[in-house]
Amino acid sequence: MMQNVHLAPETDEDDLYSGYNDYNPTYDTEELENDTAFQQAVRTSHGRRPPITAKIPSTAVSRPVATGYGSKTSLASSMGRPMTGAIQDGVTRPMTAVRAAGFTKGALRGSAFDPLGQSWGPAPPLEARNEDSPEEKIRQLEKKVNELVEESCIANSCGDLKLALEKAKDAGRKERVLVRQREQVTRPENINLDLTYSVLFNLASQYSANEMYAEALNTYQVIVKNKMFSNAGRLKVNMGNIYLKQRNYSKAIKFYRMALDQIPSVHKEMRIKIMQNIGVTFIKTGQYSDAISSFEHIMSMAPNLKAGFNLILSYFAIGDREKMKKSFQKLIAVPLEIDEDDKYISPSDDPHTNLVIEAIKNDHLRQMERERKAMAEKYIMTAAKLIAPVIETSFAVGYDWCVEVVKASQYVELANDLEINKAITYLRQKDFNQAVETLKMFEKKDSRVKSAAATNLSFLYYLENEFAQASSYADLAVNSDRYNPSALTNKGNTVFANGDYEKAAEFYKEALRNDCSCTEALYNIGLTYKKLNRLDEALDCFLKLHAILRNSAQVLYQIANVYELMEDPSQAMEWLMQLISVVPTDSRALSKLGGLYDSEGDKSQAFQYYYESYRYFPSNIEVIEWLGAYYIDTQFCEKAIQYFERASLIQPTQVKWQLMVASCFRRSGNYQKALDTYKDIHRKFPENVECLRFLVRLCTDIGLKEVQEYATKLKRLEKMKEIREQRIKSGRDSSGCPRGRRDGSAGSDSGQNCSAGSKGERLSAQLRALPGTDEPYESSSNKEPDAFYVDPLGPQIERPKTAAKKRMEEDDFADEELGDDLLPE
């Protein structure tokens, strides 16, 4: 029986701190694979017995710790009591005072060890939530209010402002119901003020986004007047912004200053932004001195680009030259706080470093840096162009001063752009020689600047029709920068002017490959395809351009013209209607639309558009002729007289218009007025045979004495004409066509014309209804007209436009347009 009892070894009772350095093999996890006792315990149920607790040293007697991997015998205590966890008669004795760990009386009967109580069965179900309790209703309603606020914010960020406002209103209604329910259940101090604040603030923001400014101001007033809301005073900035949008500048300044007083000085950035708003409001009211004080304070405390630019504008408004210079220097000195471009260049061939640089080369931070740098360059360039003409005696000296300041700053590359802007200013002043001299100075610069200057020079020489010089400078621009779309476009224009349309199309295509947004190249390639009679490809180009420039009158006209060439008048009329909706006062488009309706046989619609064209531009001979012929055709000869009289004023050397006036008087029955008109025509054109014939006829019918005089002159002229025709007939080749007759010749000679007719002598289809010389006055038979009609317009020749020429036709060297077109992208 004593074989399982081991006496504890004697220890030195005087050593109170013994045992602390003893090693417990229980925690030795590195040698578990070589521990036979542990491996046996893992393979059998022997391992289910509880481990031996670590030794706890006592102040009196230290006890050696028995290993859990040795024999099943346990050490006895000094009093003969078995140790906790010792095995007696094959039954594990429960550990003292640890019944909660799973030891029960069943262990004495040999039951399995179950420290987690898994043999007890599943846990009882949770107590059901009482959905009808007031606290639960309040909790659910508060959750719903938060969801509505979030949905409102999301809808606003997606651009659905109406839905965002509806969600905000619904959140406000439910929040008021929530407050009433909470007041009934709990004390008033337990109300969720943060939720109320967020609901009201979101509602005010949505009102403002929907331009419901009165409702937004009322909601902000509810927040501001409630003393329970902390930091509500800064919302007066939002109220000031609303008053600024309403152009109520005095109240805007008042609320900005109230917000500035309520924001502590530690919030420097917020205070600077409010002061900037105050300065902008002062500029809008014309109080430039107050605006200057605000912007000067900002530039002394925390300088930024917007404040510096606004300060220059304020000094420019009051005309202070010296302060403009100082402000420009302050603007140049504003730190950008961005990294240098060298950061994105790999210093070595380390693949890991290259991957990191490639990842950050175009990330969001890099894009933000580019935007900030572009904004700074825009402000500096605009400020320089603004102050350069006024800070010195001439704009050239002012530009030179700005260039020197820029060269001494971190924006050295902007100096060349300022020089090019100087040349553009010379262009605006029509001083082409100085512009050319300024641009020629860049021929020895780097490739980018050289390409820009050569592009501008090519543009200038093209405008002056010096295509050889334009072509040479276009070659220089292309060789300096092959990826410059403006240079390639100008080169294509010079080739187009020489008639080599295929080669011009290649240059335009290359410009589009380098920059797909180069609308000039796309427009010009459409014109090139029209010249090559490749109408389908031309239509594709103009339709693509229409998708980019939705309201471009030139593109709409080209599409209509291509459909007309494709003999599709319905589509041509539809696109011309779109063109008129964009430019309703374009007389040429109106007359073109009238001509299409006339060709379709719709005279009433044709008259409407021709009349509108005449109203906007009463000097178009083609329109005047059509309107006169229309009134003659409809038997309103009196109304036709005013149109032919205007034509005679426009072309006083053309006798046919005055003959038309006399013919209208004759057809309307006013013979005396017709006779006076014919006499006046005879005084101006004494050799006009047609006029003399009508004079002889009228004098004979009326019985005047001058009839013999006019008859003698008529015979003499007819004889001279017969002699002249005989000379011409004898001197020409038998196979040739007779030389064209002079304007105003007799209608009876019209059968001698060539079948095609010469360029200056084709008949007008609208005037065929006028009477001839040998018919009664009231007759309207379809014989030859009183005079021949000469087309004043002739064939229209289209030429490709350079990067800026088409805008120069509308605006004589506009600032932004000319600069954007001349400079490369």
Side-chain angles (χ1 to χ4, degrees):
M1 182 175 180
M2 296 297 292
Q3 61 182 353
N4 293 328
V5 177
H6 299 273
L7 297 178
E10 295 182 358
T11 57
D12 188 4
E13 296 182 356
D14 294 334
D15 188 5
L16 300 179
Y17 300 98
S18 62
Y20 283 98
N21 295 326
D22 293 344
Y23 174 69
N24 189 352
T26 305
Y27 303 109
D28 187 5
T29 59
E30 297 180 356
E31 299 295 332
L32 291 180
E33 295 181 357
N34 301 325
D35 194 333
T36 56
F38 176 75
Q39 296 298 330
Q40 181 182 1
V42 171
R43 289 192 296 269
T44 63
S45 62
H46 183 71
R48 297 175 68 98
R49 66 193 181 104
I52 304 300
T53 58
K55 174 187 173 183
I56 302 177
S58 170
T59 55
V61 180
S62 62
R63 300 175 182 176
V65 180
T67 177
Y69 310 115
S71 64
K72 296 182 180 180
T73 59
S74 59
L75 298 178
S77 63
S78 59
M79 301 297 296
R81 179 176 176 271
M83 291 186 64
T84 302
I87 301 175
Q88 296 180 356
D89 299 332
V91 179
T92 305
R93 181 178 179 275
M95 298 180 67
T96 308
V98 287
R99 299 180 66 87
F103 291 99
T104 61
K105 293 181 180 180
L108 300 175
R109 297 190 295 271
S111 61
F113 177 65
D114 188 14
L116 299 179
Q118 297 177 0
S119 61
W120 295 351
L126 298 175
E127 184 178 356
R129 180 183 297 176
N130 188 6
E131 299 289 344
D132 296 332
S133 63
E135 292 80 3
E136 185 61 27
K137 289 182 179 179
I138 290 173
R139 190 180 300 109
Q140 293 297 327
L141 188 57
E142 185 174 345
K143 181 180 178 182
K144 182 62 177 177
V145 171
N146 282 313
E147 290 177 354
L148 287 172
V149 172
E150 292 178 1
E151 292 173 2
S152 174
C153 297
I154 293 173
N156 181 279
S157 64
C158 295
D160 194 348
L161 303 180
K162 187 175 293 185
L163 177 62
L165 180 59
E166 292 298 326
K167 294 287 185 181
K169 288 181 179 179
D170 196 10
R173 288 191 291 266
K174 285 184 168 52
E175 194 274 333
R176 288 192 292 272
V177 174
L178 174 63
V179 170
R180 287 195 294 269
Q181 291 185 4
R182 194 180 289 276
E183 287 177 350
Q184 295 174 2
V185 176
T186 61
R187 291 178 295 178
E189 56 269 16
N190 292 331
I191 296 176
N192 191 349
L193 292 177
D194 293 337
L195 181 62
T196 305
Y197 180 88
S198 62
V199 169
L200 290 175
F201 178 67
N202 178 61
L203 180 60
S205 300
Q206 302 308 331
Y207 275 134
S208 179
N210 284 271
E211 297 184 359
M212 302 172 65
Y213 297 132
E215 292 83 354
L217 289 172
N218 293 334
T219 310
Y220 278 127
Q221 285 286 359
V222 172
I223 302 175
V224 172
K225 290 182 178 180
N226 195 334
K227 302 299 182 183
M228 300 180 68
F229 294 141
S230 59
N231 299 325
R234 66 179 57 193
L235 293 183
K236 292 182 180 179
V237 177
N238 296 19
M239 300 176 71
N241 292 338
I242 293 176
Y243 282 121
L244 184 63
K245 291 178 182 177
Q246 293 179 332
R247 298 187 179 181
N248 192 345
Y249 301 125
S250 59
K251 280 197 172 182
I253 293 173
K254 175 184 175 182
F255 276 88
Y256 284 145
R257 285 178 171 172
M258 291 170 63
L260 192 64
D261 294 338
Q262 296 185 11
I263 293 178
S265 58
V266 294
H267 298 161
K268 294 181 179 179
E269 187 175 356
M270 176 66 73
R271 291 178 64 86
I272 289 296
K273 290 182 179 180
I274 295 174
M275 290 198 67
Q276 188 159 330
N277 287 5
I278 293 174
V280 171
T281 310
F282 276 130
I283 288 180
K284 289 182 176 294
T285 58
Q287 303 177 24
Y288 299 113
S289 58
D290 295 329
I292 287 171
S293 61
S294 298
F295 292 129
E296 286 285 5
H297 177 74
I298 295 173
M299 294 301 290
S300 62
M301 298 296 295
N304 61 77
L305 295 170
K306 291 183 179 180
F309 183 71
N310 288 332
L311 183 60
I312 293 174
L313 292 180
S314 302
Y315 281 126
F316 178 80
I318 64 176
D320 195 333
R321 296 184 177 182
E322 295 300 324
K323 292 295 181 64
M324 276 189 275
K325 290 183 178 181
K326 293 181 180 179
S327 301
F328 186 75
Q329 292 173 341
K330 289 181 181 179
L331 177 64
I332 291 287
V334 172
L336 283 181
E337 298 179 355
I338 61 176
D339 294 330
E340 298 294 334
D341 293 337
D342 297 340
K343 173 184 177 182
Y344 303 99
I345 300 176
S346 178
S348 62
D349 294 334
D350 184 13
H352 179 70
T353 305
N354 293 337
L355 286 175
V356 172
I357 292 176
E358 192 66 27
I360 67 174
K361 187 176 293 184
N362 198 31
D363 59 356
H364 292 294
L365 181 60
R366 177 61 173 163
Q367 293 174 5
M368 185 185 72
E369 290 177 349
R370 288 200 193 101
E371 292 175 0
R372 181 177 295 181
K373 186 175 181 181
M375 183 180 66
E377 293 177 353
K378 177 183 176 182
Y379 282 143
I380 293 171
M381 292 292 294
T382 306
K385 289 190 290 185
L386 179 68
I387 68 174
V390 297
I391 58 176
E392 298 292 346
T393 55
S394 66
F395 87 93
V397 180
Y399 261 108
D400 293 337
W401 183 87
C402 292
V403 168
E404 293 301 324
V405 173
V406 170
K407 284 182 178 179
S409 67
Q410 55 183 330
Y411 306 99
V412 182
E413 63 274 6
L414 290 182
N416 294 325
D417 295 336
L418 280 175
E419 290 281 358
I420 292 178
N421 273 285
K422 180 180 176 182
I424 294 174
T425 307
Y426 279 124
L427 286 178
R428 193 178 298 115
Q429 296 181 354
K430 306 297 178 62
D431 193 348
F432 297 104
N433 294 329
Q434 286 291 339
V436 171
E437 291 298 326
T438 305
L439 291 172
K440 284 183 177 179
M441 293 190 303
F442 292 95
E443 293 184 5
K444 297 182 180 180
K445 298 284 185 178
D446 57 15
S447 59
R448 186 188 68 85
V449 180
K450 184 192 299 183
S451 177
T455 301
N456 292 339
L457 287 170
S458 174
F459 161 77
L460 286 174
Y461 284 120
Y462 185 88
L463 292 181
E464 295 178 354
N465 293 330
E466 297 183 13
F467 300 124
Q469 289 282 355
S471 179
S472 63
Y473 278 105
D475 290 333
L476 178 61
V478 171
N479 294 332
S480 301
D481 185 3
R482 189 72 187 186
Y483 300 99
N484 186 351
S486 299
L488 291 167
T489 302
N490 284 346
K491 178 60 180 177
N493 292 345
T494 58
V495 176
F496 186 100
N498 293 327
D500 192 350
Y501 303 123
E502 293 286 353
K503 191 174 181 180
E506 293 299 325
F507 281 108
Y508 296 142
K509 289 178 182 178
E510 186 175 356
L512 287 174
R513 285 194 295 268
N514 293 336
D515 183 7
C516 59
S517 63
C518 184
T519 55
E520 293 82 7
L522 188 57
Y523 184 88
N524 289 351
I525 198 173
L527 294 181
T528 306
Y529 286 144
K530 279 181 62 178
K531 287 292 185 181
L532 295 171
N533 202 26
R534 294 156 62 177
L535 300 180
D536 292 333
E537 297 179 58
L539 183 62
D540 290 339
C541 292
F542 290 126
L543 288 176
K544 290 178 183 178
L545 197 57
H546 175 65
I548 302 173
L549 308 173
R550 301 296 298 180
N551 295 324
S552 174
Q554 291 175 316
V555 176
L556 292 172
Y557 174 77
Q558 291 297 337
I559 295 174
N561 184 246
V562 171
Y563 275 119
E564 184 183 3
L565 294 175
M566 297 171 69
E567 299 181 355
D568 191 349
S570 60
Q571 284 288 339
M573 288 187 287
E574 181 180 346
W575 284 97
L576 282 174
M577 291 293 292
Q578 294 187 35
L579 173 60
I580 291 174
S581 66
V582 175
V583 280
T585 61
D586 191 333
S587 62
R588 185 173 179 82
L590 290 167
S591 64
K592 192 72 175 176
L593 190 57
L596 288 174
Y597 275 111
D598 185 29
S599 64
E600 292 294 307
D602 193 345
K603 294 289 185 180
S604 60
Q605 285 288 344
F607 171 75
Q608 176 185 350
Y609 289 111
Y610 271 123
Y611 182 76
E612 288 294 316
S613 175
Y614 173 78
R615 192 163 65 89
Y616 289 117
F617 184 61
S619 300
N620 191 332
I621 294 295
E622 180 183 355
V623 174
I624 291 173
E625 179 196 11
W626 192 95
L627 289 172
Y630 174 81
Y631 279 119
I632 291 175
D633 189 40
T634 55
Q635 303 300 322
F636 291 99
C637 299
E638 297 85 352
K639 292 185 178 181
I641 292 174
Q642 59 175 331
Y643 296 103
F644 292 128
E645 285 179 345
R646 179 169 289 275
S648 65
L649 291 175
I650 297 172
Q651 294 180 346
T653 60
Q654 295 287 336
V655 66
K656 63 180 179 179
W657 305 122
Q658 301 181 42
L659 289 173
M660 296 299 176
V661 174
S663 177
C664 291
F665 281 125
R666 179 168 53 84
R667 296 197 64 184
S668 62
N670 194 346
Y671 302 129
Q672 185 61 43
K673 190 69 175 176
L675 180 61
D676 294 340
T677 306
Y678 279 125
K679 287 182 178 180
D680 186 55
I681 295 172
H682 179 65
R683 283 193 300 269
K684 295 179 181 178
F685 305 95
E687 295 183 359
N688 188 271
V689 177
E690 192 78 18
C691 179
L692 284 172
R693 286 177 179 172
F694 279 112
L695 280 173
V696 171
R697 181 68 180 274
L698 282 173
C699 291
T700 302
D701 293 343
I702 298 175
L704 296 178
K705 297 179 180 180
E706 295 94 336
V707 61
Q708 188 63 36
E709 177 186 356
Y710 293 133
T712 304
K713 291 181 179 180
L714 178 60
K715 289 180 180 180
R716 185 170 62 250
L717 285 176
E718 286 180 346
K719 187 176 181 179
M720 291 174 59
K721 180 182 178 183
E722 184 179 354
I723 295 172
R724 187 183 302 114
E725 287 180 353
Q726 289 178 357
R727 290 176 180 175
I728 293 174
K729 186 176 181 180
S730 61
R732 70 168 184 262
D733 296 331
S734 59
S735 61
C737 179
R739 187 175 300 174
R741 295 169 301 168
R742 296 173 55 190
D743 291 338
S745 59
S748 59
D749 297 333
S750 61
Q752 299 176 3
N753 285 339
C754 295
S755 60
S758 59
K759 181 177 180 182
E761 296 181 347
R762 61 186 181 88
L763 296 177
S764 172
Q766 290 88 349
L767 301 179
R768 290 182 183 275
L770 297 182
T773 57
D774 300 329
E775 59 180 291
Y777 300 140
E778 293 79 17
S779 175
S780 60
S781 62
N782 294 328
K783 291 191 176 182
E784 295 178 357
D786 295 317
F788 290 98
Y789 167 70
V790 180
D791 187 4
L793 296 179
Q796 296 298 311
I797 302 176
E798 292 174 330
R799 300 180 64 180
K801 299 192 177 183
T802 60
K805 185 177 180 182
K806 61 184 181 186
R807 293 186 185 143
M808 290 177 61
E809 294 173 355
E810 302 173 359
D811 186 3
D812 192 9
F813 294 97
D815 297 355
E816 298 84 357
E817 296 176 347
L818 185 63
D820 291 342
D821 291 330
L822 288 179
L823 295 179
E825 295 291 335

